[in-house]
Amino acid sequence: MQPSSFTLASMLGLALISLPMVDMQAAELTILAGGGITGPMRELGPQFERASGHKLTFHFGTTPELIKQATSGSPFDAGVVPAEVYKDAAAQATFGAGPTTEIARVGLGVAVRAGAAKPDISTPDALKQTLLKAQSIATVPASAAGAQVLRAFERLGIGEAMKAKTKVQSGPAQIVEAVAKGEAELGVFLSNVLTAPGLELVGPFPAELQQHVVYMAAIAANSKEAGAAKAFIDYLKTPEAVAIIKAKGMEPAGR
């Protein structure tokens, strides 16, 4: 039996009515994220969008930039940022009262231009000598990781000596570019950042000097899409997301 024209019209009408409801359920989320976790977020973001129907816009930055963004009054929905951001009282106030969730952590390392000889950094003294012999190093002092690098220099007693050798970069991508182009002999930053094409990771800092940047997630206090923001944070803890975070050179929470 062929459906009547009334039935077809009714079915079409119901279909058209249901489409706006799908659109209404889809949220557009603004996410603040640390520059060091760019790699995983670039891959996980589109996967979450396909699975949920929500749309994500990321704002990556250093710790000072993220604090400035969080406190600027511009709306955002969640942060996946270094723990240092939450230590700033003004920034902390822009996040909800709920607990932060650890997503990943990563330690410091050293890289050279692809094809270059790899120096010895196996012990604190070997790392010290390598840094002193280097003509130049690239790092991002205005970041959580960069601050840890500078503290390591101080612990090695070479803080002052390294000032003249340090080529200050504005972000992780600029470190990669500077080393890959030979503008800096060494890249000293988060290990996962230093695995980019054009670079070769020499290795992590010796255990005695190793420090980690911990990336924590939280929902913004004034988010109008708190449910969708929570769904995104929950997604970052799924086995699929954990596998990608690990593949990108970071240590997932709880691993």
Side-chain angles (χ1 to χ4, degrees):
M1 179 183 295
Q2 295 294 323
S4 68
S5 59
F6 174 79
T7 303
L8 288 173
S10 300
M11 292 171 62
L12 179 60
L14 288 172
L16 291 173
I17 290 171
S18 66
L19 288 176
M21 293 180 67
V22 173
D23 292 339
M24 286 175 62
Q25 293 172 349
E28 294 187 2
L29 303 177
T30 298
I31 310 294
L32 305 186
I37 203 168
T38 300
M41 292 298 105
R42 291 292 192 202
E43 190 163 337
L44 292 170
Q47 291 193 12
F48 174 75
E49 289 180 333
R50 288 192 294 271
S52 67
H54 302 313
K55 298 298 180 184
L56 303 179
T57 298
F58 287 99
H59 291 284
F60 296 101
T62 63
T63 294
E65 290 170 345
L66 293 167
I67 291 172
K68 184 177 181 180
Q69 285 183 312
T71 58
S72 68
S74 298
F76 70 99
D77 298 288
V80 187
V81 299
E84 285 76 6
V85 171
Y86 301 107
K87 294 177 182 178
D88 181 272
Q92 185 183 47
T94 66
F95 290 92
T100 55
T101 302
E102 181 177 337
I103 300 301
R105 60 178 59 205
V106 62
L108 302 174
V110 177
V112 295
R113 186 179 185 180
K118 293 183 179 181
D120 184 10
I121 62 168
S122 59
T123 66
D125 188 61
L127 175 60
K128 177 179 179 178
Q129 296 307 316
T130 289
L131 291 169
L132 288 174
K133 291 176 183 176
Q135 295 298 309
S136 57
I137 68 134
T139 193
V140 185
S143 68
Q148 292 182 346
V149 168
L150 299 184
R151 284 197 292 271
F153 292 167
E154 292 297 332
R155 288 181 61 189
L156 290 170
I158 58 173
E160 196 62 34
M162 295 309 296
K163 289 181 180 179
K165 298 174 180 282
T166 300
K167 290 184 175 292
V168 175
Q169 305 300 315
S170 60
Q174 286 68 41
I175 293 178
V176 174
E177 183 177 4
V179 178
K181 289 183 175 181
E183 296 170 356
E185 184 176 343
L186 301 177
V188 186
F189 202 63
L190 299 175
S191 294
N192 65 315
V193 170
L194 301 177
T195 59
L199 274 60
E200 289 188 18
L201 182 67
V202 177
F205 271 29
E208 299 92 326
L209 291 171
Q210 186 59 276
Q211 301 172 75
H212 293 82
V213 172
V214 180
Y215 291 87
M216 309 290 292
I219 301 170
N222 294 327
S223 173
K224 295 180 179 179
E225 302 289 354
K230 183 180 184 301
F232 175 62
I233 293 173
D234 290 343
Y235 173 73
L236 297 179
K237 304 286 288 183
T238 63
E240 295 79 11
V242 165
I244 289 172
I245 290 170
K246 189 173 182 179
K248 294 295 184 179
M250 304 185 80
E251 181 181 342
R255 297 296 189 277

